[in-house]
Amino acid sequence: MYLCAMQLSEQERIRRDSLVELRKLGIEPYPAAAFNATHRSTELAASFKDGMEVTLAGRLMSRRIMGKASFAEMQDSEGTFQLYLNRDELCPGEDKTTYNVVFKKLLDRGDFIGVSGETFTTQTGEQSLLVRELTVLSKSLKPLPAVKVDDAGNTHDAFSDPELRYRMRYVDLVVNPHVRETFEARSRIIRTIRESFDQQGWLEVDTPVLQAIPGGAAARPFKTHHNALDIPLYLRIANELYLKRLIVGGFEGVYEFSRNFRNEGMDRTHNPEFTVLELYVAYKDYHWMMETMENLIGDVCQSVHGKTQATLGGQEINFKPPYKRVTMRDAILEHTGIDIDGKNEAELRSACQSVGVDTDDSMGKGKLIDELFGEKCEHHFIQPTFIIDYPVEMSPLTKVHRDKPDYTERFELMINGTEVANAYSELNDPIVQRERFEEQLKLGERGDDEAMFIDQDFLRALEYGMPPTSGVGIGIDRLVMMLTNQTSIQEVLLFPQMRPEVFSTGPNLKALEELGIPSDWTEHVAAAGFDSATALSETSPAGLREKMNGYRKKNKLSLPALSLEEVEAWFSTIH
RNA sequence: GACCUCUUAGCUCAGCUGGUUAGAGCAUCUCACUUUUAAUGAGAGGGUCCUGGGUUCGAGUCCCAGAGGGGUCACCA
């Protein structure tokens, strides 16, 4: 499936030959000079008048050659534009090489070109550019997938294999315009959030990705090692504890678009590295944060769609604030009939079992409730909903509810049955925080391998005093999914994690020659599958001779057939 | 990590109960064509049927193992 450099397809060989031909004509296929276009495609379409002198640069995407005249599609960063090339307009003198040879023979779909000329409208009403000057900007050596779009907008022969699309996102972006749109939307979402926060005077900060203690969340980290300090370091699973230190330090609002890393499973909502926006604002609580979030997400939706509604998986999602607030207790009560209020661990465990939720002994009260919600409730919340007031046991960094001592001031924002944001009134009592960490430690001893580590320096920071603060983390990848109608996280990550591709390093022709194989034969021996001395040593002289003579016959080589003595001579150098 | 499923030309895909030299459309090459737009007409070339074993007179097809992808589940956000 993956060709090595020596085994080129027919189309690749032809393109390499064209490259040589261009140079023979004195045309450098990879010129160094800048090429300055006057317009981009959609910009030109918007301001289009007949008779404009314009220069465009882009990728040649299709050609319709009709003898002395041709039409071509050129694609730039914004869209496509039609070119009209006429032999005598492009080559007014005697020499018609630029049209007859360079354009018709040596250029291919995928090449970058620059064109200058005059705009006009064709008989069929299409905006076009009459090309008077053509510059080769970069030759493409591999054929792009042959995607075609008809008049009705139907795509034919789409480049749709997810493996190829994710591994070669550059190709995906060239031939699938909707992919580019998704990533433009992602950029717009992030920009809208950043602009909104900056307007509030909150500070964008950078905190460590390499952490000695992977804190702020419950997850398995990636571990690495620092040589100079000779200590283990972890890639961050969250940046929460660092942002809170900055609130201790006196900033009123801090935020960071944090790339987090978690060494866990991958599926259509999980990638090992993912982006969370974390925001902490002093003197606020989680009620304030809910209002802030619903307004923000309404604005973000507006910036992407021009309205506060969006379609997601065939359902209309309404992002217009305010969003419903449902307590964790009510959510579980509604969907399972179980009232978690006042129940102890044993009662919760049997309640879980009664509705078919699996449990094990390492699960504490918090985990049991979490399981109940995750299994039985989560997927019901399609429209944006704040699930509020989580049990103390599952929220070790959260302040206890002002009225309900068994609960915390925490909410998660659910959209389309998926958690998109998680926020608290932050726990700022250093003594209670220490106790909560110690409870986590006990859970760890019970076998919960995701229980939190104790970060002593963070506790010391709290002891210096942190103002009442509300903080939130928004899963940016998931938010982008919700707003771009994607059901897979891989569609909103430019380069989603994949198992590394295995590349053939190509045959080692030199090694074969050193064995005494004549240079006429080395490439054929390699092509027959014996591309290294090791591969040769695994066969026998007689077997190889038979194979190579068969290969000679099949490929009609003009070389004499091999004798057994010749082949045995190659083998004597191996052994 | 478990189960299901897929892998055939540059791309998208056919290929029946195992049986001539593995097919189609687009792409490529040759020729024709001065306003087309999934351009058109005529002709040609292009294959590690994912890899390695096995069954068989004979394997793209059946069996086993492996690689990679997708889906479902588990874990998690």
Side-chain angles (χ1 to χ4, degrees):
Chain A
M1 177 166 219
Y2 302 112
L3 297 173
C4 69
M6 299 303 293
Q7 295 168 308
L8 297 175
S9 70
E10 181 193 31
Q11 295 190 43
E12 287 174 298
R13 282 196 303 271
I14 288 164
R15 283 172 182 236
R16 278 170 153 79
D17 291 345
S18 299
L19 188 74
V20 172
E21 289 304 312
L22 282 171
R23 288 216 168 96
K24 276 189 193 159
L25 289 171
I27 296 168
E28 171 51 47
Y30 302 104
F35 186 88
N36 298 312
T38 57
H39 294 74
R40 296 198 194 95
S41 58
T42 47
E43 181 188 1
L44 177 58
S47 62
F48 187 87
K49 284 196 296 273
D50 281 359
M52 298 164 75
E53 287 295 327
V54 302
T55 300
L56 299 175
R59 209 189 264 275
L60 184 63
M61 291 305 283
S62 74
R63 287 180 301 171
R64 296 181 288 278
I65 297 173
M66 287 158 295
K68 297 183 186 67
S70 303
F71 287 91
E73 295 298 324
M74 176 193 245
Q75 175 173 300
D76 65 12
S77 62
E78 293 187 341
T80 60
F81 203 82
Q82 176 167 279
L83 308 179
Y84 174 67
L85 295 98
N86 180 300
R87 187 191 67 183
D88 299 324
E89 296 281 353
L90 186 61
C91 311
E94 285 299 302
D95 180 6
K96 308 295 184 190
T97 308
T98 304
Y99 182 77
N100 284 340
V101 180
V102 177
F103 175 73
K104 279 172 68 175
K105 306 279 181 201
L106 302 182
L107 287 184
D108 291 289
R109 173 179 155 80
D111 291 349
F112 280 92
I113 54 171
V115 289
S116 296
E118 186 185 328
T119 57
F120 75 105
T121 307
T122 64
Q123 287 174 1
T124 49
E126 178 102 2
Q127 296 177 347
S128 305
L129 178 67
L130 171 62
V131 177
R132 294 226 165 82
E133 240 183 283
L134 173 69
T135 311
V136 178
L137 296 178
S138 181
K139 182 81 192 142
S140 161
L141 296 182
K142 279 186 171 292
L144 288 167
V147 180
K148 293 218 168 186
V149 181
D150 66 20
D151 273 345
N154 302 313
T155 304
H156 301 263
D157 303 331
F159 179 59
S160 55
D161 181 333
E163 175 175 9
L164 297 177
R165 286 184 49 231
Y166 301 151
R167 286 197 195 280
M168 300 192 288
R169 185 67 94 180
Y170 37 89
V171 174
D172 192 27
L173 286 163
V174 171
V175 301
N176 290 325
H178 61 275
V179 173
R180 186 169 66 202
E181 285 162 19
T182 299
F183 290 101
E184 285 168 352
R186 181 179 175 117
S187 172
R188 203 170 308 126
I189 288 164
I190 290 171
R191 195 162 58 242
T192 303
I193 295 171
R194 181 172 278 132
E195 280 168 2
S196 162
F197 288 5
D198 287 348
Q199 226 165 37
Q200 304 284 333
W202 300 330
L203 195 70
E204 182 168 12
V205 297
D206 292 294
T207 64
V209 174
L210 286 175
Q211 303 180 349
I213 298 164
R220 275 190 288 275
F222 285 93
K223 194 175 182 180
T224 184
H225 185 263
H226 190 272
N227 291 341
L229 295 175
D230 192 25
I231 53 165
L233 285 175
Y234 301 87
L235 272 65
R236 69 177 164 202
I237 55 173
N239 61 350
E240 169 156 0
L241 303 186
Y242 283 93
L243 293 184
K244 285 182 182 173
R245 284 171 169 95
L246 296 175
I247 297 294
V248 170
F251 292 116
E252 189 173 308
V254 289
Y255 71 95
E256 179 175 15
F257 288 93
S258 171
R259 187 68 64 88
N260 293 348
F261 305 85
R262 297 189 184 176
N263 204 342
E264 282 158 356
M266 295 163 60
D267 60 32
R268 67 176 195 285
T269 55
H270 297 87
N271 193 67
E273 57 182 292
F274 61 105
T275 303
V276 174
L277 164 67
E278 296 231 17
L279 165 72
Y280 291 80
V281 182
Y283 314 115
K284 305 297 185 191
D285 63 11
Y286 78 140
H287 292 297
W288 173 88
M289 187 61 86
M290 276 186 262
E291 280 175 42
T292 305
M293 285 300 107
E294 61 195 5
N295 288 326
L296 177 73
I297 287 169
D299 289 350
V300 167
C301 183
Q302 184 81 34
S303 79
V304 174
H305 294 291
K307 54 179 182 170
T308 50
Q309 288 77 40
T311 308
L312 180 56
Q315 299 192 80
E316 186 84 357
I317 308 284
N318 185 3
F319 288 97
K320 189 176 158 67
Y323 303 159
K324 243 165 71 179
R325 277 100 165 131
V326 178
T327 65
M328 169 72 76
R329 180 190 170 196
D330 289 346
I332 293 175
L333 192 59
E334 184 188 342
H335 292 108
T336 65
I338 296 167
D339 187 356
I340 58 171
D341 214 5
K343 283 209 165 49
N344 64 28
E345 190 178 310
E347 289 166 331
L348 282 169
R349 181 163 286 118
S350 65
C352 278
Q353 282 153 2
S354 73
V355 291
V357 172
D358 290 337
T359 64
D360 66 64
D361 290 343
S362 78
M363 290 170 143
K365 224 172 126 176
K367 194 94 179 164
L368 289 166
I369 293 168
D370 193 30
E371 207 65 15
L372 215 44
F373 180 76
E375 287 290 310
K376 295 288 168 189
C377 309
E378 203 171 60
H379 58 276
H380 292 292
F381 297 100
I382 302 300
Q383 295 300 323
T385 306
F386 292 117
I387 304 298
I388 65 171
D389 300 348
Y390 283 59
V392 171
E393 294 82 357
M394 52 197 292
S395 314
L397 301 167
T398 313
K399 195 175 271 191
V400 169
H401 195 280
R402 61 196 77 180
D403 304 320
K404 298 181 276 187
D406 288 344
Y407 295 90
T408 54
E409 298 206 348
R410 170 179 178 181
F411 72 79
E412 287 192 359
L413 174 59
M414 310 296 306
I415 302 173
N416 200 33
T418 307
E419 178 195 341
V420 172
N422 180 17
Y424 320 138
S425 294
E426 300 295 337
L427 177 55
N428 63 344
D429 178 336
I431 292 167
V432 174
Q433 182 66 81
R434 188 176 293 276
E435 289 166 7
R436 297 274 189 85
F437 275 142
E438 276 158 10
E439 284 158 19
Q440 288 290 307
L441 208 60
K442 280 184 203 137
L443 283 177
E445 284 159 8
R446 270 171 72 169
D448 185 342
D449 55 359
E450 289 162 355
M452 291 186 186
F453 296 72
I454 296 190
D455 186 332
Q456 297 290 351
D457 175 72
F458 171 68
L459 289 169
R460 177 169 60 192
L462 286 190
E463 285 168 7
Y464 279 97
M466 182 170 89
T469 298
S470 185
V472 68
I474 303 174
I476 292 294
D477 310 300
R478 287 185 180 178
L479 181 63
V480 174
M481 287 167 64
M482 304 295 155
L483 291 169
T484 56
N485 194 19
Q486 296 296 343
T487 53
S488 162
I489 198 169
Q490 298 177 103
E491 293 292 344
V492 301
L493 298 169
L494 282 166
F495 301 101
Q497 191 64 51
M498 301 204 93
R499 198 174 286 277
E501 189 174 345
V502 179
F503 283 96
S504 160
T505 49
N508 191 345
L509 296 182
K510 223 175 197 165
L512 295 180
E513 269 186 63
E514 281 164 12
L515 293 174
I517 300 178
S519 53
D520 293 345
W521 274 102
T522 48
E523 65 172 299
H524 304 304
V525 171
F530 306 100
D531 56 1
S532 67
T534 327
L536 273 179
S537 67
E538 282 162 9
T539 181
S540 69
L544 179 64
R545 171 174 175 257
E546 201 166 303
K547 269 213 167 157
M548 288 319 300
N549 283 335
Y551 181 92
R552 170 180 169 272
K553 205 166 189 181
K554 188 182 168 198
N555 291 283
K556 301 184 181 110
L557 301 184
S558 57
L559 296 164
L562 290 164
S563 68
L564 189 57
E565 291 74 36
E566 279 178 272
V567 179
E568 274 171 343
W570 309 343
F571 275 81
S572 65
T573 39
I574 298 176
H575 301 293

